[in-house]
Amino acid sequence: MQAEEYLLASHAIHIEMGRLSERLLELAQFRCAEPSNQVFLNIMNRHAELLAELADMHDRASAGFRHSSARMPL
């Protein structure tokens, strides 16, 4: 994964996570942020998916950075 590709993709994920956070705040303010609320569960599942996607992207980007730095002379 190239650096630009990583930055664009991670930025999009951060924007979505910000929106999820705003929605969670609304649910909490109305005392609806609980496991019996399917909307809450959907938000939390999406949050977990996004975190996993970020971790995967980080691993791929790190591997790419290590590979490209190994080819560069010191």
Side-chain angles (χ1 to χ4, degrees):
M1 174 173 260
Q2 299 295 325
E4 281 186 32
E5 187 181 17
Y6 174 81
L7 290 173
L8 288 172
S10 65
H11 181 68
I13 289 173
H14 282 104
I15 288 171
E16 186 175 351
M17 288 181 78
R19 290 181 181 141
L20 291 176
S21 295
E22 290 170 5
R23 186 67 178 120
L24 283 173
L25 178 59
E26 290 173 5
L27 290 173
Q29 288 173 333
F30 292 104
R31 297 186 176 169
C32 297
E34 57 185 58
S36 64
N37 183 346
Q38 188 61 46
V39 173
F40 173 75
L41 292 177
N42 292 344
I43 291 171
M44 295 308 298
N45 284 330
R46 182 63 182 149
H47 184 266
E49 290 170 2
L50 291 170
L51 286 175
E53 191 174 335
L54 274 175
D56 180 57
M57 285 175 26
H58 177 80
D59 290 344
R60 287 187 289 140
S62 294
F65 297 154
R66 281 192 300 272
H67 180 68
S68 65
S69 67
R71 290 184 284 162
M72 296 176 76
L74 295 176

